[in-house]
Amino acid sequence: MRLNLALQGGGSHGAFTWGVLDALLEDGRFEFEGLSGTSAGAMNAVALAHGYARAATQTTDPHEARLVGAALARSTLTRLWEGVGSLGTLSWGAPLAQAFPALQMMTQWLSPAQANPLGINPLRSLLEREVDFELLCSASKAVPKVFVCATNVSTGRGEIFSGSRLSADSVMASACLPLVFKAVEIEGERYWDGGYSGNPALYPLIYQTECSDILLVQINPIEHLGVPDTVPEIMDRMNEVTFNASLLAELRAIEFVRRLLAEGKLDPRRYKDVRMHRIDGGSVLAGLGFASKARADLGFLRQLFALGRTAGLQWLSAHQHDVGVRASLNLAHNA
């Protein structure tokens, strides 16, 4: 069964998605055509695709390549996230402020370019060690297409990096929080976190793949019980709303097109009837708070991984037979 994956960003909470992917890869029934990811979701996407790219160099048999690719993808994801755990809070928080406590107060007044003029980010070295981007860019059609979203600082628009434009730079741009890291320069343009413009972007999966099924792995809560009344709670909720806004807009557009197709008002030869599915990690992770997205000790990441695996297995049990048949996410209610 073919399936596209849309992987949301959310700092170290992306380890929840690691657990989900581990369950899907272990199950082995799905052929992934497209992977769209932002920030931590982009890292998960390139790690998964890297496994299949390596498998394609080892065998030309499609069935064997899928089995070997799934195993290699699982091991790549594990090494990546265990590497993040070894970096700890240096991964997602302000790196120099953590490494040098004297800078902790200074970061309130200094921009990332001033506090970290060399752009030191240990996460980049880890990513380059675990993912062969040259191999990924030259991979065969048997390897899932990867779409990474970053936000152009000048235009405010989302930019999709794929194919030959996929690189460590584009993934780091997708994860570039403006108050933590310097904007990443690519081809003369500067980019910030893709969450502002597509978290994750769904449209590449609609227009650049043939598959009609998209599984969204969501790690930012949409709904919030109660009204936040402290400054940290208000900031947390503002961030959740901001990083879900573009996704909700795309889901509403998909539902609108689906309704018009059902009413016979659109040509089905020109418009894809997208079947949306979702694993809602946001509701599972809501109680952890926004600040925990910068926490990356290995014990915490393994806890998130276990939660993700459980959620993935539950989704497989409840909805694997919906893929290719019907949508399992009610967009009219959720978008």
Side-chain angles (χ1 to χ4, degrees), residues 12 28 34 42 82 104 115 130 144 149 167-168 172 174 179 194 219 240 242 250 267 284 314 334-335:
S12 62
E82 289 187 346
Q104 186 71 44
E130 298 301 339
C149 182
S167 65
M172 297 313 299
S174 183
L179 295 179
I219 54 178
E240 289 170 354
T242 299
E250 285 200 272
D267 186 349
V284 177
Q314 290 173 342
N334 289 279

Side-chain angles (χ1 to χ4, degrees), residues 89-90 92-99 104 107 179-181 294:
T89 53
L90 295 180
W92 301 106
L96 291 191
Q98 294 288 345
Q104 186 71 44
T107 56
L179 295 179
V180 178
F181 302 111

Side-chain angles (χ1 to χ4, degrees), residues 147-168:
F147 307 98
V148 169
C149 182
T151 303
N152 186 300
V153 177
S154 298
T155 67
R157 296 173 180 167
E159 179 85 9
I160 300 299
F161 294 90
S162 187
S164 61
R165 300 185 72 207
L166 198 61
S167 65

Side-chain angles (χ1 to χ4, degrees), residues 12-45:
S12 62
H13 287 189
F16 175 93
T17 304
W18 165 33
V20 169
L21 297 178
D22 192 76
L24 296 177
L25 291 164
E26 181 184 57
D27 182 79
R29 275 173 280 193
F30 295 110
E31 177 184 347
F32 304 112
E33 183 180 358
L35 311 171
S36 180
T38 296
S39 190
M43 295 181 190
N44 279 319

Side-chain angles (χ1 to χ4, degrees), residues 203-256:
Y203 65 89
L205 300 176
I206 298 173
Y207 295 110
Q208 298 186 48
T209 73
E210 295 181 5
C211 179
S212 295
D213 289 88
I214 299 176
L215 172 59
L216 168 65
V217 183
Q218 193 166 354
I219 54 178
N220 288 313
I222 289 181
E223 297 183 357
H224 187 92
L225 298 178
V227 178
D229 54 10
T230 67
V231 171
E233 290 174 347
I234 292 170
M235 293 298 295
D236 284 0
R237 186 56 184 154
M238 287 172 59
N239 279 303
E240 289 170 354
V241 171
T242 299
F243 283 100
N244 277 328
S246 57
L247 172 64
L248 290 175
E250 285 200 272
L251 291 176
R252 284 191 290 269
I254 290 172
E255 171 58 19
F256 181 62

